[in-house]
Amino acid sequence: KIGESDLDPRFIYQELKRNGEEIPKIYMAEGSEDILLKENHTVRDFLKEQNADFVYIEDSGCHDWDFWNKHLEEAFVFLVGKN
């Protein structure tokens, strides 16, 4: 069952929190034409409710490398910072 497994980011977040483990920063870049837009809105809203350390960006595009390449550098900077 996805809702209660490591296939659901909400479940993973809750398990980390419940176990007192460090919760990593989360970067989400979502294309407005992405087939997973509705599901990612659900995760985004959950993370807001949890006051998670995350960034959500919605931009034109879909679930493909053209979109991902556009946001890859920004995601990297967010996750590891600039030296």
Side-chain angles (χ1 to χ4, degrees):
K1 184 175 178 182
I2 291 176
E4 295 181 10
S5 75
D6 62 0
L7 299 175
D8 183 345
R10 296 169 300 175
F11 177 80
I12 296 168
Y13 185 95
Q14 289 171 326
E15 283 295 296
L16 290 171
K17 194 172 185 179
R18 185 174 8 262
N19 294 326
E21 297 180 51
E22 182 179 352
I23 299 171
K25 297 189 303 184
I26 300 167
Y27 180 92
M28 297 176 69
E30 182 67 28
S32 56
E33 291 84 42
D34 195 310
I35 58 172
L36 299 172
L37 184 62
K38 180 181 174 187
E39 290 80 4
N40 283 316
H41 281 173
T42 299
V43 173
R44 175 204 61 197
D45 294 345
F46 169 81
L47 292 171
K48 281 183 184 179
E49 291 169 4
Q50 298 294 314
N51 295 313
D53 184 6
F54 82 106
V55 166
Y56 179 86
I57 294 170
E58 193 167 308
D59 195 4
S60 62
C62 59
H63 202 83
D64 63 17
W65 278 106
D66 289 334
F67 180 85
W68 299 326
N69 284 333
K70 183 177 175 183
H71 295 279
L72 192 57
E73 183 177 350
E74 185 177 349
F76 183 76
V77 169
F78 173 77
L79 294 171
V80 299
K82 288 187 176 182
N83 292 335

